[in-house]
């Protein structure tokens, strides 16, 4: 990924996290720690978005540079 794509993936991860928090705040089953199909989907999306950020070449290059 190029740096602009990395920024886009970071924005996407942040957007999904905000959706997750809003859902938790407004969902009675989630607040009662009961099963919720919608939050399961949002968590999958969040994991995928975070993985896209972690796997970006720009981030890997920055980590490698920091280890030197």
């Amino acid at each position: 990924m190029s740096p602009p794509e990395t920024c886009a993936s970071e924005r996407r991860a942040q957007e999904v996290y905000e959706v997750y928090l809003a859902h938790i705040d407004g969902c009675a089953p989630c607040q009662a720690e009961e099963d919720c199909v919608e939050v399961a989907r949002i968590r999958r999306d969040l994991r995928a978005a975070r993985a896209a950020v972690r796997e970006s070449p720009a981030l890997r290059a920055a980590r490698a540079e920091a280890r030197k």
Side-chain angles (χ1 to χ4, degrees):
M1 270 186 218
S2 66
E5 290 174 9
T6 300
C7 292
S9 64
E10 289 172 354
R11 280 193 304 273
R12 174 68 181 145
Q14 183 62 36
E15 289 168 1
V16 175
Y17 184 65
E18 290 170 6
V19 167
Y20 172 74
L21 292 178
H23 176 82
I24 295 294
D25 190 46
C27 178
C30 287
Q31 291 174 3
E33 297 182 15
E34 297 173 1
D35 290 337
C36 175
V37 174
E38 183 67 16
V39 82
R41 183 195 58 79
I42 295 169
R43 283 184 181 145
R44 281 192 304 274
D45 291 350
L46 183 56
R47 281 192 297 272
R50 287 180 174 168
V53 172
R54 280 192 310 271
E55 298 303 318
S56 72
L59 185 57
R60 277 189 262 150
R63 285 187 197 136
E65 187 64 32
R67 287 186 207 125
K68 290 181 181 181

